Amino acid sequence: MKHGSAGSAVPQRKHAAAAAFQFLSRFPVKMQLDFVPPLLRESVVYYPLVGAAIGLCAWLVAALSGALLPAFPAAVLTLTVWVWLTGGLHLDGWMDTADGLLSYRSRERMLEIMKDSRVGAMGVIACVLLLMMKAALIADMIARGNWLYSALLILPMIWSRWFMVYAMSAWPNARGDDGLAVLFKGLGERNEVQRTRSAAIGLTLVLGVITIAVVWLFKPDIAIADAMVSGFGSLPWWLYPVTSVIVLPVACYYIGRFVAARISARLGGLTGDTYGAMNELLEAALLTVLSVLQGLFWL
């Protein structure tokens, strides 16, 4: 009996992983699935993995295009591939959320605006500013050319998707029993949130170890900030990746909680659009944190 249940768990995990990739990305996962609530709830465990796959593809494009083009055109090309890989799903949520929240109407009216398929002026402005910020951050990373540390650039995509899962369980659905978010109702009954966090932590540790191994193999004598004006002195080269794998998850948690709490206070909960909006916001915020850390470590 135990052998049978263990064997059936493998296809269940396979279906859940496929559902996560089909729902959050345009990766060609050819599998016929019925997106029923139990499968969707189980699929969230693989959201960090989807983020890692998107991040890996985006930064491979950044590395290749950065070798052939100036930093800014390479950044725009990278961002184009990045948005295409997500199908614009989260970007759509970002625009709808901006239209609703920046209308400064009543709660009911904001929810109606967010449900409208048409994009308003606030949504367009928010989209343009977000893409400009992301393009500038990507261009900065490309211009620095520190590709030995590029595995760390995948972390924002992992943790932003973890936070979506956390937000689904931590705040109520603003639309009650309506909307896409209701399909995830009951999230956490099988420890999906804890398992998602474990997946994100595992991927983060793997990327941290890969970064340390790559730098050690290809540039073993590196000393970060050999002549830092601030007076910290010469810092060991491994301190940047170690700091990054600690600071980024913490920053994601506190920034995400602050934003989610503010949105929930205005809407009486969260919606599918706001989950996507927070994913976009956290990606940009965590890339900014990485950029700041690189500056502090003189990379």
Side-chain angles (χ1 to χ4, degrees):
M1 186 72 179
K2 290 182 180 180
H3 177 74
S5 61
S8 63
V10 175
Q12 288 176 359
R13 288 195 294 267
K14 185 177 179 181
H15 290 165
F21 275 89
Q22 287 187 4
F23 188 66
L24 294 183
S25 76
R26 284 187 171 177
F27 287 109
V29 180
K30 299 186 182 301
M31 184 179 291
Q32 291 293 108
L33 297 171
D34 185 10
F35 285 92
V36 293
L39 179 62
L40 286 172
R41 288 195 295 268
E42 182 65 22
S43 72
V44 302
V45 177
Y46 298 92
Y47 279 18
L49 182 61
V50 177
I54 291 172
L56 177 61
C57 292
W59 291 111
L60 284 175
V61 173
L64 293 173
S65 61
L68 300 172
L69 298 169
F72 194 72
V76 173
L77 179 60
T78 300
L79 186 56
T80 301
V81 173
W82 186 349
V83 172
W84 179 82
L85 285 172
T86 65
L89 176 66
H90 310 306
L91 204 56
D92 180 68
W94 170 263
M95 290 187 288
D96 287 341
T97 300
D99 276 335
L101 293 179
L102 297 179
S103 69
Y104 299 103
R105 304 291 182 85
S106 66
R107 170 187 175 272
E108 291 74 18
R109 181 58 183 146
M110 284 190 290
L111 289 173
E112 287 179 13
I113 292 172
M114 291 166 63
K115 198 170 185 179
D116 194 330
S117 60
R118 294 169 296 181
V119 179
M122 290 294 99
V124 172
I125 293 171
C127 180
V128 170
L129 292 176
L130 176 73
L131 292 177
M132 286 175 62
M133 185 63 179
K134 281 190 174 183
L137 290 166
I138 297 170
D140 176 60
M141 303 291 181
I142 293 173
R144 292 177 190 267
N146 296 311
W147 296 112
L148 294 179
Y149 299 95
S150 60
L152 298 175
L153 302 175
I154 302 174
L155 294 179
M157 292 77 152
I158 293 173
W159 284 99
S160 64
R161 283 158 182 79
W162 164 79
F163 190 83
M164 286 198 298
V165 178
Y166 173 73
M168 289 178 197
S169 67
W171 284 274
N173 180 7
R175 299 188 188 278
D177 292 330
D178 189 23
L180 181 63
V182 75
L183 296 176
F184 295 89
K185 188 176 181 180
L187 191 65
E189 293 176 356
R190 295 180 56 196
N191 299 319
E192 292 94 347
V193 179
Q194 291 83 354
R195 289 158 61 204
T196 306
R197 182 182 61 210
S198 297
I201 292 173
L203 288 167
T204 299
L205 293 176
V206 168
L207 292 173
V209 170
I210 289 173
T211 301
I212 291 174
V214 167
V215 178
W216 183 77
L217 286 172
F218 291 96
K219 209 170 182 181
D221 297 326
I222 188 172
I224 302 174
D226 287 330
M228 287 184 71
V229 179
S230 59
F232 288 108
S234 180
L235 299 176
W237 60 266
W238 48 263
L239 192 57
Y240 169 63
V242 169
T243 302
S244 297
V245 301
I246 295 172
V247 169
L248 259 69
V250 173
C252 178
Y253 176 77
Y254 283 105
I255 294 172
R257 275 195 66 89
F258 174 78
V259 174
R262 295 290 297 272
I263 295 174
S264 182
R266 294 191 62 188
L267 296 179
L270 302 179
T271 70
D273 284 328
T274 61
Y275 301 142
M278 285 187 292
N279 177 80
E280 291 290 340
L281 176 65
L282 287 170
E283 283 181 341
L286 296 182
L287 282 175
T288 303
V289 172
L290 270 179
S291 182
V292 170
L293 288 176
Q294 288 195 357
L296 291 175
F297 284 92
W298 282 59
L299 289 178

